[in-house]
């Protein structure tokens, strides 16, 4: 079963809170900021929602069947390039490849030609996944990767 992406909804808030308390490190990696409180999570989500309102970003929930397994975001849009993010809840990490492919397909459909990603250099699983998806490492100290779409 393929992963699909749907826009976030108000009803998703409890899920975000659950992820904050169950997998703070994973969410911090997704947002790229320290999430030491619910307010910090609200602020991080607000930045992406603001970008979405300005057509320079978007955030979608990742679905496998009718089950939410994580989320994907496109931010920092610049002409034909964007920054991609995925988060998969810990019990659903087996769907990471499917969600990654769905995120790439969405970016390509939106007309992007290059996607960049950032990740912690210690995250070997993310590096392997992203390389499998076709991303190339440009700077091994910060692990910034890109893929032509």
């Amino acid at each position: 079963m393929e992963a699909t992406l749907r826009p976030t909804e108000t009803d998703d808030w409890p899920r975000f809170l659950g992820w904050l308390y169950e997998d703070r490190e994973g969410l911090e990696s997704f947002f790229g900021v320290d999430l030491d409180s619910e307010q910090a999570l609200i602020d991080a989500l607000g930045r992406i929602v603001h970008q979405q309102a300005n057509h320079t970003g978007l955030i979608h929930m990742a679905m496998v069947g009718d089950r939410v397994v994580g989320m994907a975001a496109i931010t920092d849009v610049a002409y034909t390039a964007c920054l991609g993010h995925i988060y998969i809840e810990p019990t659903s990490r087996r769907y990471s490849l499917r969600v990654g492919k769905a995120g790439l397909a969405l970016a390509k459909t939106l007309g992007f030609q290059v996607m960049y990603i950032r990740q912690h250099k210690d995250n070997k699983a993310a590096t392997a996944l992203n390389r499998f998806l076709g991303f190339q490492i440009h700077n091994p100290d910060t692990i910034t990767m890109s893929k032509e779409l």
Side-chain angles (χ1 to χ4, degrees):
M1 185 175 300
E2 296 296 315
T4 58
L5 302 173
R6 68 153 173 85
T8 56
E9 302 168 350
T10 306
D11 293 345
D12 291 321
W13 177 244
R15 188 176 315 281
F16 287 117
L17 283 178
W19 290 337
L20 175 65
Y21 293 112
E22 295 167 14
D23 187 30
R24 177 178 162 186
E25 184 177 331
L27 275 188
E28 288 176 339
S29 180
F30 176 84
F31 287 110
V33 296
D34 183 35
L35 299 173
D36 58 357
S37 66
E38 289 181 14
Q39 185 60 52
L41 175 60
I42 291 168
D43 293 344
L45 280 167
R47 280 189 288 282
I48 296 177
V49 170
H50 177 75
Q51 286 189 26
Q52 193 164 274
N54 290 310
H55 307 286
T56 59
L58 61 82
I59 186 168
H60 279 46
M61 301 306 283
M63 310 284 297
V64 174
D66 61 353
R67 183 168 167 250
V68 174
V69 298
M71 59 186 159
I74 295 172
T75 63
D76 304 294
V77 170
Y79 303 104
T80 61
C82 63
L83 186 62
H85 315 259
I86 65 168
Y87 169 79
I88 308 298
E89 62 188 10
T91 60
S92 300
R93 297 263 157 90
R94 65 187 173 277
Y95 299 119
S96 297
L97 179 61
R98 296 177 197 185
V99 174
K101 287 180 177 180
L104 289 170
L106 176 61
K108 191 170 186 175
T109 298
L110 293 172
F112 295 107
Q113 295 176 3
V114 177
M115 178 179 281
Y116 293 89
I117 57 173
R118 289 187 300 231
Q119 68 180 66
H120 293 290
K121 65 181 180 180
D122 299 345
N123 191 338
K124 305 287 187 218
T127 300
L129 170 68
N130 293 323
R131 291 188 88 158
F132 187 82
L133 287 168
F135 286 90
Q136 299 174 348
I137 296 174
H138 293 286
N139 182 342
D141 292 328
T142 59
I143 306 293
T144 298
M145 303 171 102
S146 67
K147 176 180 176 58
E148 289 188 27
L149 304 173

